[in-house]
Amino acid sequence: RDFTAVQAHLEDVVLPAVFSDDQCGNGQCEAAWGEYPLWTPANDAKSFQGCASDCGFAQTRPVTVVFFDTYKLQNAIAAIKDLAEAGISLSGRTPEQWGAIGSDGSLVIEPRGGWNICHKTDAEEGWNEKVCVFQPGDININGLPYRTAELDPSSSLFANNKTLNLYPGDWELRIAFDGFVWTDELSGDQVNVGFPAIRGALCYSDIDD
């Protein structure tokens, strides 16, 4: 086959397909190119840019996150701080021996809670983790992002509800905690120092409301 013809085929067909510019803006919503409708769950949440010019805006409905028994979290955090400050022993070890406080007497790991709303199946292009509303979060617990404001007793938003705009799908409320278990780094022994038994729920509004 003529070399010039092969070169022309590569330049006109193959290379543009492999090294194509961004497809957004060509008037076609192409999921194969990672295009999806623009979606912003809340002003302080992650904005999923997508391709509004081709795919428009995501159809959403208001969903309110409601927390219950947040006083238990508040009491647990206060109890841990009091315990550490007083140097009370647990399982035969002082807070310092547990590695919970530093030489200045402050907590090495502050007890804290966080939450996020994540889709059970949908994942962003190029991400292993599922789609989450707050990403990145205020903190990471076990490698996952979480928002803290509504679960932080020092925040003005503590115990408040939070309304988000979610597209139809299988969403779950994730709640996680850190700093409520102390670990002896030498022996690996652990002791629970607090039990933040709070609950949460997703409350969906009727679309016609």
Side-chain angles (χ1 to χ4, degrees):
R1 197 174 172 181
D2 183 79
F3 176 77
T4 302
V6 173
Q7 183 180 28
H9 176 74
L10 289 173
E11 292 178 349
D12 295 340
V13 179
V14 178
L15 292 180
V18 176
F19 298 102
S20 176
D21 292 331
D22 192 348
Q23 298 298 299
C24 186
N26 66 0
Q28 300 180 27
C29 187
E30 300 169 294
W33 290 95
E35 292 185 357
Y36 53 85
L38 186 149
W39 171 49
T40 303
N43 291 336
D44 53 359
K46 177 177 180 178
S47 180
F48 296 80
Q49 292 301 313
C51 180
S53 62
D54 292 349
C55 304
F57 297 85
Q59 298 298 307
T60 63
R61 64 188 302 184
V63 178
T64 300
V65 182
V66 180
F67 298 100
F68 306 97
D69 301 332
T70 50
Y71 72 91
K72 295 180 179 179
L73 173 62
Q74 187 174 26
N75 291 344
I77 290 175
I80 291 174
K81 291 182 177 180
D82 290 344
L83 185 152
E85 182 178 341
I88 298 174
S89 295
L90 291 175
S91 300
R93 298 178 179 88
T94 65
E96 189 169 5
Q97 290 171 327
W98 278 110
I101 59 175
S103 57
D104 60 352
S106 63
L107 283 166
V108 174
I109 300 178
E110 289 281 340
R112 54 192 180 174
W115 68 277
N116 210 336
I117 300 294
C118 299
H119 201 280
K120 289 186 177 180
T121 57
D122 289 357
E124 283 190 84
E125 186 79 16
W127 291 75
N128 291 326
E129 181 55 32
K130 300 300 182 287
V131 170
C132 290
V133 170
F134 299 102
Q135 186 177 311
D138 300 320
I139 58 174
N140 281 349
I141 300 177
N142 296 325
L144 299 177
Y146 292 92
R147 173 182 169 93
T148 59
E150 290 73 18
L151 300 183
D152 180 359
S154 66
S155 169
S156 61
L157 298 177
F158 178 66
N160 283 7
N161 299 337
K162 177 69 174 177
T163 298
L164 305 164
N165 296 308
L166 304 182
Y167 63 82
D170 198 1
W171 297 95
E172 62 179 356
L173 171 61
R174 296 180 180 179
I175 300 177
F177 305 99
D178 195 19
F180 292 88
V181 177
W182 291 352
T183 302
D184 186 323
E185 294 186 0
L186 295 178
S187 65
D189 293 342
Q190 293 185 326
V191 61
N192 289 303
V193 290
F195 301 92
I198 70 170
R199 298 173 295 117
L202 301 180
C203 300
Y204 290 80
S205 300
D206 291 335
I207 296 178
D208 296 332
D209 285 354

